[in-house]
Amino acid sequence: MKSNMPMVGVGVIVLRNGLVLLGRRKGTHGAGTWALPGGHLEYGETVEDCAAREVMEETGLCIHSITRGPYTSDVFPKEGKHYVTLFVSARSYSGEPKICEPARCAAWNWFDWSDLPRPLFPPLASLLETGFVPK
Ligand code: IPR
Ligand code: MG
């Protein structure tokens, strides 16, 4: 497989009283940007299972009530990467967010969708540009 083949990512909108959980990325593409928890869809995995696995691996949260949302398509020219990102929302969860992968995430924080921090990870910036608002 060519290394610059488009890949499928899953971005998870975890909601708490109208706030959304974002992490500041480090050590990989988009370092320094704020992003949703999420990651690469694995072979044979459902989108919902990927969402739950990635959120658990990255934050320690166990998410419930996962619903499908929009997708975006984003090229990272400098890194030669292209992701189609499938967004899902989770309206309930158990646990408290922890930095489970300190080499990949500098911080987790809750933000109002109308007042997100900058810079945003490109797929999240693309999602925002569509006018999508999680409910
Ligand atoms: P991993 O799988 O390392 O969590 O991937 P990621 O966080 O670099 O995410 C890639 C897909 C994005 C667009 C959700
Ligand atoms: Mg990730």
Side-chain angles (χ1 to χ4, degrees):
M1 185 166 54
K2 276 182 7 194
S3 63
N4 64 352
M5 283 285 284
M7 289 186 285
V8 177
V10 175
V12 188
I13 301 166
V14 182
L15 293 160
R16 185 188 80 180
N17 300 330
L19 303 180
V20 62
L21 183 66
L22 298 186
R24 197 149 61 75
R25 291 171 68 86
K26 63 191 260 201
T28 184
H29 63 294
T33 65
W34 288 91
L36 298 164
H40 297 84
L41 187 70
E42 293 186 350
Y43 175 81
E45 194 173 42
T46 68
V47 173
E48 289 81 3
D49 284 350
C50 176
R53 176 182 56 75
E54 286 285 349
V55 170
M56 175 57 74
E57 287 175 2
E58 295 182 355
T59 72
L61 296 180
C62 182
I63 58 171
H64 317 286
S65 313
I66 300 166
T67 56
R68 295 183 181 187
Y71 73 87
T72 64
S73 179
D74 302 277
V75 175
F76 296 75
K78 211 168 57 179
E79 293 88 354
K81 291 176 187 275
H82 179 182
Y83 281 96
V84 172
T85 303
L86 312 176
F87 292 93
V88 301
S89 300
R91 278 166 196 75
S92 73
Y93 64 86
S94 49
E96 284 302 319
K98 294 183 184 57
I99 300 173
C100 298
E101 297 177 334
R104 306 295 295 273
C105 178
W108 291 114
N109 283 116
W110 298 95
F111 297 95
D112 194 297
W113 190 259
S114 62
D115 188 21
L116 295 179
R118 299 293 193 275
L120 290 175
F121 190 47
L124 179 55
S126 295
L127 179 65
L128 213 61
E129 280 168 21
T130 70
F132 174 78
V133 178
K135 290 191 196 89

